[in-house]
Amino acid sequence: MFAQMIKENYSSLSPGQKKVAEFIVNQMDEGALLTAFQIGRKVGVSETTVIRLAYALGFSGYSHMQEAIRKDWLSSKQAVESEGNPSSTEETNEEQLFHYVIHKERAILQQLLQQLNTNEVWKAVDAFIQADRVYIGGFGSSYAAAYWFYYTLKQLRENVFISQPTGFSLEDICELNEKSVVVLFSFPRYRKESMALAELAKKQQAMIISMTNRQLSPVGQLADVTLTTEEQMNSDYHSIASVVSLLEVLIAGIHHRDRERISQRQQKLEFLYTGQGLFLE
């Protein structure tokens, strides 16, 4: 996927190339159709800078890069258009409103399927299995998804910790090291606490996995693995369904590759739950 390629090479790009890259990722339709000269004029850089971006990403030239952009754009466009949704809630009467919301969620999930990078997902899965500890950060509205993942992952492995919705404690992260994983949930409007936690985790050499809406979000740029929900959707609201679906994918992967240890842990937990009489059924 083109956005993933940009993210992986972003730090090595020149300031002008970064401007072009961000423009194309955010305006994929224009990147798919405009010439290098036209993009340069829109962004405020030379045509040469646009062409050099293609070389920096490993393409043989601008036309080769544009072909990759066009494929990504068309796949996302087809995923949305196949749903036949109304263009906005303003055009929707009360009778159609709830159908509109569900159709939009379905379009976002279809886009999630199209953009899913399985190599990155398996990299995250292996990191969760091998880590000595997992620290989960979610602030403001992102805390709800972060807590869901915290509760679910705690059923599967030990040493799982979570931030508070308003911030994190330095005492909780002082033990992070190169064997640790920090998971950051960061969606618009991006909270400053996420960046602060990412920077501290980097200094302690922990692996950072970000759950965010686009590869080039503030936290997405810093993370070792960035898993995105609504890349290219231009959604006017954030979908919690897409986040939970992505987390379900991770949980399924962890179950698949760590069955025996998970089974042993869940047997111990069930024994404790039964002894405490926690559940009605």
Side-chain angles (χ1 to χ4, degrees), residues 236-270:
D236 57 359
Y237 75 106
H238 175 59
S239 166
I240 188 66
S242 63
V243 186
V244 174
S245 294
L246 192 52
L247 294 176
E248 290 275 16
V249 167
L250 286 171
I251 294 298
I254 295 169
H255 267 286
H256 179 75
R257 287 197 171 171
D258 201 22
R259 289 192 194 94
E260 188 174 338
R261 187 170 65 162
I262 290 172
S263 177
Q264 291 173 359
R265 179 172 176 80
Q266 291 186 332
Q267 286 176 22
K268 291 179 182 177
L269 286 172
E270 282 301 324

Side-chain angles (χ1 to χ4, degrees), residues 6 26 60 64 96 202 232 277:
I6 291 291
N26 293 328
S60 60
H64 187 200
Q96 297 172 317
K202 276 280 185 190
Q232 303 172 27

Side-chain angles (χ1 to χ4, degrees), residues 267-279:
Q267 286 176 22
K268 291 179 182 177
L269 286 172
E270 282 301 324
F271 177 78
L272 293 172
Y273 293 155
T274 302
Q276 295 296 311
L278 291 181
F279 301 110

Side-chain angles (χ1 to χ4, degrees), residues 181-196:
V181 169
V182 173
V183 192
L184 286 168
F185 289 76
S186 183
F187 298 94
R189 302 165 64 187
Y190 307 110
R191 293 284 292 252
K192 292 180 179 179
E193 294 92 339
S194 298
M195 287 297 291

Side-chain angles (χ1 to χ4, degrees), residues 125-167:
V125 165
D126 289 339
F128 286 126
I129 293 171
Q130 296 164 14
D132 68 337
R133 63 181 58 225
V134 176
Y135 187 86
I136 300 170
F139 309 101
S141 61
S142 297
Y143 182 78
Y147 185 82
W148 185 94
F149 188 56
Y150 162 77
Y151 183 85
T152 305
L153 191 61
K154 211 170 173 61
Q155 310 300 306
L156 311 185
R157 57 154 296 150
E158 71 289 349
N159 294 333
V160 181
F161 309 93
I162 191 171
S163 69
Q164 294 300 312
T166 54

Side-chain angles (χ1 to χ4, degrees), residues 57-278:
L57 296 176
F59 294 104
S60 60
Y62 178 73
S63 60
H64 187 200
M65 180 176 78
Q66 192 171 50
E67 185 182 343
I69 296 167
R70 195 171 288 129
K71 284 180 180 177
D72 272 9
W73 175 61
L74 286 173
S75 65
S76 64
K77 190 170 183 287
Q78 288 165 0
V80 176
E81 287 182 349
S82 66
E83 300 303 323
N85 292 337
S87 60
S88 75
T89 51
E90 293 176 359
E91 301 172 8
T92 310
N93 60 35
E94 287 188 356
E95 230 173 85
Q96 297 172 317
L97 176 62
F98 303 136
H99 288 86
Y100 167 80
V101 172
I102 294 171
H103 276 301
K104 189 165 188 178
E105 291 289 349
R106 188 167 67 179
I108 291 171
L109 292 177
Q110 183 62 39
Q111 172 59 26
L112 177 63
L113 179 62
Q114 295 285 338
Q115 74 189 33
L116 192 66
N117 186 324
T118 53
N119 288 334
E120 292 294 286
V121 172
W122 284 121
K123 192 185 298 183
V125 165
D126 289 339
F128 286 126
I129 293 171
Q130 296 164 14
D132 68 337
R133 63 181 58 225
V134 176
Y135 187 86
I136 300 170
F139 309 101
S141 61
S142 297
Y143 182 78
Y147 185 82
W148 185 94
F149 188 56
Y150 162 77
Y151 183 85
T152 305
L153 191 61
K154 211 170 173 61
Q155 310 300 306
L156 311 185
R157 57 154 296 150
E158 71 289 349
N159 294 333
V160 181
F161 309 93
I162 191 171
S163 69
Q164 294 300 312
T166 54
F168 60 92
S169 167
L170 294 176
E171 290 80 6
D172 288 343
I173 65 168
C174 69
E175 305 298 333
L176 294 175
N177 56 55
E178 68 279 1
K179 297 179 181 178
S180 307
V181 169
V182 173
V183 192
L184 286 168
F185 289 76
S186 183
F187 298 94
R189 302 165 64 187
Y190 307 110
R191 293 284 292 252
K192 292 180 179 179
E193 294 92 339
S194 298
M195 287 297 291
L197 179 54
E199 288 165 357
L200 284 172
K202 276 280 185 190
K203 288 179 181 177
Q204 293 172 264
Q205 300 182 327
M207 182 179 184
I208 300 174
I209 297 173
S210 65
M211 309 289 295
T212 185
N213 64 311
R214 58 191 178 93
Q215 290 286 335
L216 297 182
S217 71
V219 165
Q221 294 179 37
L222 279 180
D224 300 290
V225 175
T226 299
L227 301 177
T228 58
T229 53
E230 291 149 271
E231 197 87 48
Q232 303 172 27
M233 280 298 295
N234 297 320
S235 177
D236 57 359
Y237 75 106
H238 175 59
S239 166
I240 188 66
S242 63
V243 186
V244 174
S245 294
L246 192 52
L247 294 176
E248 290 275 16
V249 167
L250 286 171
I251 294 298
I254 295 169
H255 267 286
H256 179 75
R257 287 197 171 171
D258 201 22
R259 289 192 194 94
E260 188 174 338
R261 187 170 65 162
I262 290 172
S263 177
Q264 291 173 359
R265 179 172 176 80
Q266 291 186 332
Q267 286 176 22
K268 291 179 182 177
L269 286 172
E270 282 301 324
F271 177 78
L272 293 172
Y273 293 155
T274 302
Q276 295 296 311
L278 291 181

